[in-house]
Amino acid sequence: MIDFRIISALAFIVLAPFIGGFLEGLDRKISARMQRRVGPSVFQPFYDVAKLLSKETIAVTASQRFLLVSYLILTVFTGAMFFFGSDLLMVFLMLSTAGVFLYLAGCVTSSPYSSMGAQRELMQELSYEPALLLTGLGFYIAEGTFRVQDIVNSRYSAVMFLPGFFVAFVFILTIKMRKSPFDESTSHHPHQELVKGLTTEMGSTNLAIFQITEWYENVLMLGVVALFIINSSVYSIPIAIIVVLFTYFLEILIDNTSARVKQSKMLFLAWSVTLVSAGVNMIIIMLIR
Amino acid sequence: MAKLSRSPWLLHYDASSCNGCDIEVLACLTPVYDVERFGVINTGDPMQADILLVTGGVNTQNAPVLKQIYDQMSNPKVVVAIGVCACTGGVFKETYNILGGADKVIPVDIYVPGCATRPESIIDGVVKAVGLFQEKYDKNIKNLSSSEWAEKKAAEELNSRMTDSKEGN
């Protein structure tokens, strides 16, 4: 008998780039409509990646490709672990390790823009890391387990116990997805004071690898949003999908209505929201139990 | 075979332009013209760009910069000269510091005249460039490096000139 967990993990590996790419296409279309433009086709991200893969690759440093592929493989493996239903804390720690490979891929080039982008990427990681780890901890306090499989099969949705953690997680999602106002390291928008920041020295195939990894990562992060909602009831699945789509729309809205902030302000905002929202939630839960 | 023409990314370089053409290039991205509906992205990074838009005449100071930007772009790539200054040097042609059009430094594929060029003509030029971009890919030149490509193009040009002169005789 084939385990459902294996199917779920395999489905993530195969389908996540398509879902992620389609979501990015929707993002660009909705953003264009918000700016009263027609906007590109929803399949535009796929056309872009197909083009990037077929262009000549100019390698600035030989090790950059290796580091980017490591980043891709680690992210895919982390996502597969999450959808397989294993340890949530382990997933978050592995995700940070993958982030370090991205940081190194930006650092190995001699370009000052790329290096500065990498420094900012590290700053972004520093901003969202406490909230990520606290989210893992929050799930343990609420459900008594780190295992995703058991959290999914619990009687009540985790968000009932963890509304503060949910707010903190959605807040750092903006940083994780590199959306304005927190698109410090590299931006999806044309204007960027560091040329393209972290991805300045990534052309053709290397940029395609980065792009595909972003899609995997976005699907994984939206999966964590869904984990807040899903419980043992079947009806929680459509509700989780609606919440995920609404969260994604909220990210697009924030992206289009805010200007980039300084790094120190990002750090301050992210940590204060994490501390106030998730911290207070944690104290209340610990007092009640 | 990939359809490259669906995703042309632009890089805009201002080589001593008066900003007239530059404003019109940016106007193409506004909601009125919205070139993003064709998949065009105005990127600032030569390593990710496919089509180089040059505005203004090339002078002695920015000639090496333009050359370097061109070399950093990966094949296949297309160069479009926007405005009469980038095409020939324009009214500044005789000035002591102007070398002439962009084609004095890098191989230009498409010339878009005008002073300042209207957004409609820029879009027209870009659409032509997109067609050429696809054509270059189909001819399988993506494995050639930039210098090899320049050599090949120079050899082809020489060849065609020689046949032309033979036909003339």
Side-chain angles (χ1 to χ4, degrees), chain B residues 45-113:
Chain B
D45 189 352
M47 292 203 57
Q48 300 171 4
D50 308 306
I51 296 172
L52 173 61
L53 305 182
V54 187
T55 51
V58 179
N59 63 29
T60 42
Q61 273 200 8
N62 61 34
V65 179
L66 185 59
K67 179 83 178 62
Q68 190 177 6
I69 287 175
Y70 178 78
D71 287 339
Q72 280 177 349
M73 288 169 67
S74 57
N75 275 320
K77 58 188 166 191
V78 180
V79 180
V80 185
I82 303 275
V84 73
C85 298
C87 292
T88 63
V91 288
F92 305 107
K93 193 172 183 178
E94 304 297 325
T95 322
Y96 64 95
N97 60 335
I98 293 282
L99 301 174
D103 53 4
K104 296 280 179 203
V105 185
I106 53 172
V108 175
D109 298 289
I110 288 162
Y111 296 85
V112 181

Side-chain angles (χ1 to χ4, degrees), chain A residues 119-132:
Chain A
Q119 298 297 334
R120 289 178 174 205
E121 175 67 23
L122 213 58
M123 204 68 175
Q124 272 182 240
E125 214 163 299
L126 197 66
S127 304
Y128 65 67
E129 206 58 44
L132 267 191

Side-chain angles (χ1 to χ4, degrees), chain A residues 37 48 51 55-56 199-200, chain B residues 7 36 45 48 50 75:
Chain A
R37 291 188 287 116
D48 290 346
K51 178 206 68 181
K55 279 196 85 179
E56 173 206 23
T199 58
T200 303
Chain B
S7 154
E36 206 195 338
D45 189 352
Q48 300 171 4
D50 308 306
N75 275 320

Side-chain angles (χ1 to χ4, degrees), chain A residues 6 16 19 47 63 71 77 93 146 157 179 204 206 212 223 240 245 260 262:
Chain A
I6 295 174
I19 297 169
Y47 300 151
S63 56
Y71 171 52
F77 189 69
L93 289 173
F146 279 124
S157 297
K179 296 273 188 208
S204 319
N206 287 344
I212 293 168
L245 288 178
R260 189 174 301 139
K262 285 181 181 173

Side-chain angles (χ1 to χ4, degrees), chain A residues 150-162:
Chain A
D150 298 337
I151 297 169
V152 168
N153 288 327
S154 62
R155 271 188 69 194
Y156 302 106
S157 297
V159 74
M160 287 173 68
F161 307 108
L162 310 169

